[in-house]
Amino acid sequence: MSGDMASSDDDDEIPDLVPVESTRVPVTIITGFLGAGKTTLLNYILTEQHGKRIAVILNEFGEGSAVEKSLSVGQEGELYEEWLELRNGCLCCSVKDNGVKAIENLMTKRGKFDYILLETTGLADPGPIASIFWLDEELGSDLFLDGIITVVDCKYGLQHIQEQKTDGVLNEALRQVALADVIIINKTDLVSEEELNHLVLHVKSINSFARLIKTQQSRTDLSLILDLNAYDGQSKNSIEDTFKISKTEDGKPRQHLDQSVTTVTFELPGNITSESLDSFLQEVLWEKVYSVSGQLMEILRMKGLISVTDSDRRVIAQAVHQLFDRQTTSVWESEPNRINRLVFIGKNLDSEILESIFRKYLDDSS
């Protein structure tokens, strides 16, 4: 074979394929009751020079409601269905649905943004919206749910949270607080210190693992509400920290106010098989489970650090409403450190009943 032919054959060889790393884009859901300050927060994000490239999806809802009309950018009073590129590097769009179509449209502009913020309506339960980005396989290849931010109005927040619905279901403001990873207590300048402390105590008794930020005019450090990694087991706050904050400084469980939605926690030694963990989650999330007093429990959010049999790594289990998932994370440092820590937020929760159900699934052989 001549040298020329050998050279030609070499040229025809199939080159090694280099895998292209596709960076997934974090989606943060911004929720809060009517007038809480969501639009003010988003307006701040869209106009400040913060050096971040953020795509913001604004929700147009409630015609005639000044606080819920979509933010107007560029020309006064005009709503945008198309994506606008703003001076500070952000993108903005107004939508009339849950934002999925806008996000699909947005993904054609990959490379122009690093974060997506999705505003919900003031009357929305963020759970179903979160599930779209958390466990949707098609969207999940390009996006991941980073966290849920709830804005609470100091002046009227407690009134909204305590509103009683005639059919006994939980009101939207309560659900928004219960499902939050970060809670922005806004308009602190409109209430006294005593009123503020009362609201904070109430919010913490509902959801004690969310980070609380106190603001005026929704101005906050964006690093506190972005890159939370609240759903992929890579959170800046470890589950150990999450578990600690639901207790008082003396280690005792937090005293809950007289209300139906609370945070409860427990920890147990031992291991659980992967199959038994699924069975436990299915029982407490899908079956009807009652408290000692005979009230039906409703779990809104669950997070757990789990010690799985025959695995040297921690498993983080999470649930929103009836959906659950788990991720394998860091290696256990030593056998004595292995523990199961679970945090639940929901209605009529009974920690002793939940603990007893988990206990029956523990692996006796380990």
Side-chain angles (χ1 to χ4, degrees):
M1 184 180 291
S2 70
D4 289 343
M5 288 186 67
S7 174
S8 176
D9 287 346
D10 289 343
D11 290 343
D12 290 341
E13 284 182 8
I14 299 173
D16 292 334
L17 296 177
V18 179
V20 178
E21 288 194 15
S22 177
T23 304
R24 294 195 303 158
V25 179
V27 177
T28 299
I29 294 173
I30 309 284
T31 189
F33 211 68
L34 301 165
K38 301 190 304 297
T39 302
T40 308
L41 172 63
L42 293 167
N43 192 18
Y44 164 65
I45 291 168
L46 289 170
T47 55
E48 288 294 308
Q49 294 295 333
H50 42 62
K52 297 181 183 295
R53 301 186 307 164
I54 304 171
V56 177
I57 301 173
L58 304 163
N59 207 298
E60 178 191 345
F61 183 82
E63 292 179 20
S65 169
V67 293
E68 280 296 293
K69 284 200 173 182
S70 293
L71 182 64
S72 301
V73 180
Q75 298 178 31
E76 191 173 346
E78 187 174 355
L79 297 176
Y80 296 97
E81 294 293 342
E82 296 300 318
W83 284 95
L84 291 180
E85 295 191 36
L86 306 179
R87 290 179 182 175
N88 66 351
C90 290
L91 297 166
C92 175
C93 177
S94 165
V95 296
K96 294 179 181 177
D97 57 15
N98 61 20
V100 175
K101 288 181 182 176
I103 285 181
E104 289 173 349
N105 180 15
L106 173 63
M107 297 313 285
T108 65
K109 301 180 182 293
R110 285 291 292 269
K112 292 189 175 182
F113 58 92
D114 303 310
Y115 304 90
I116 298 174
L117 297 188
L118 173 62
E119 177 197 20
T120 70
T121 75
L123 299 175
D125 176 351
I129 302 168
S131 67
I132 293 171
F133 304 104
W134 182 30
L135 297 177
D136 187 301
E137 292 294 331
E138 197 169 322
L139 282 172
S141 60
D142 294 319
L143 309 165
F144 69 94
L145 179 61
D146 188 56
I148 298 173
I149 314 296
T150 296
V151 185
V152 176
D153 170 15
C154 276
K155 190 75 173 173
Y156 301 107
L158 202 55
Q159 176 185 324
H160 295 317
I161 290 168
Q162 293 179 323
E163 178 193 344
Q164 296 292 322
K165 290 208 164 191
T166 52
D167 51 7
V169 300
L170 299 175
N171 72 64
E172 292 81 2
L174 195 51
R175 288 178 180 274
Q176 290 167 357
V177 169
L179 290 172
D181 299 294
V182 174
I183 298 171
I184 295 177
I185 305 289
N186 190 35
K187 305 183 183 180
T188 57
D189 52 322
L190 300 184
V191 296
S192 66
E193 187 173 352
E194 184 181 354
E195 289 172 313
L196 176 60
N197 291 338
H198 183 56
L199 173 62
V200 168
L201 179 64
H202 205 94
V203 166
K204 280 185 175 179
S205 74
I206 296 169
N207 182 344
S208 56
F209 75 50
R211 172 190 290 159
L212 259 65
I213 305 171
K214 299 172 188 174
T215 64
Q216 296 178 17
Q217 298 180 333
S218 300
R219 298 178 74 88
T220 184
D221 182 348
L222 294 188
S223 67
L224 298 176
I225 64 174
L226 297 176
D227 296 319
L228 299 176
N229 294 106
Y231 287 82
D232 62 2
Q234 308 300 318
S235 172
K236 297 172 190 173
N237 296 328
S238 68
I239 192 71
E240 286 89 345
D241 294 335
T242 296
F243 192 80
K244 285 173 188 171
I245 61 174
S246 63
K247 298 194 173 188
T248 56
E249 291 182 1
D250 60 3
K252 295 180 181 178
R254 238 181 239 289
Q255 290 298 308
H256 296 301
L257 304 179
D258 183 19
Q259 61 190 42
S260 61
V261 177
T262 54
T263 302
V264 301
T265 63
F266 63 83
E267 66 176 30
L268 284 173
N271 298 319
I272 185 170
T273 66
S274 184
E275 296 77 13
S276 293
L277 175 57
D278 283 345
S279 297
F280 165 73
L281 293 170
Q282 289 166 12
E283 179 171 346
V284 296
L285 297 172
W286 298 356
E287 305 294 333
K288 289 186 176 180
V289 180
Y290 293 87
S291 65
V292 171
S293 60
Q295 294 176 301
L296 179 65
M297 293 192 228
E298 181 183 353
I299 295 170
L300 299 175
R301 184 83 186 266
M302 186 280 294
K303 196 166 189 175
L305 169 70
I306 309 295
S307 176
V308 173
T309 306
D310 297 329
S311 173
D312 63 348
R313 292 181 176 270
R314 295 172 172 84
V315 169
I316 301 295
Q318 297 210 58
V320 174
H321 295 321
Q322 293 183 319
L323 294 173
F324 65 86
D325 194 19
R326 49 201 172 97
Q327 300 89 27
T328 301
T329 60
S330 56
V331 175
W332 292 102
E333 286 75 19
S334 62
E335 197 64 29
N337 286 339
R338 295 178 72 120
I339 195 78
N340 299 285
R341 291 192 173 102
L342 290 94
V343 182
F344 296 85
I345 298 175
K347 181 180 180 182
N348 303 324
L349 298 186
D350 187 321
S351 60
E352 292 184 4
I353 295 289
L354 292 169
E355 182 177 332
S356 68
I357 295 172
F358 186 80
R359 192 184 294 275
K360 77 178 183 182
Y361 284 108
L362 286 174
D363 185 2
D364 294 333
S365 64
S366 61

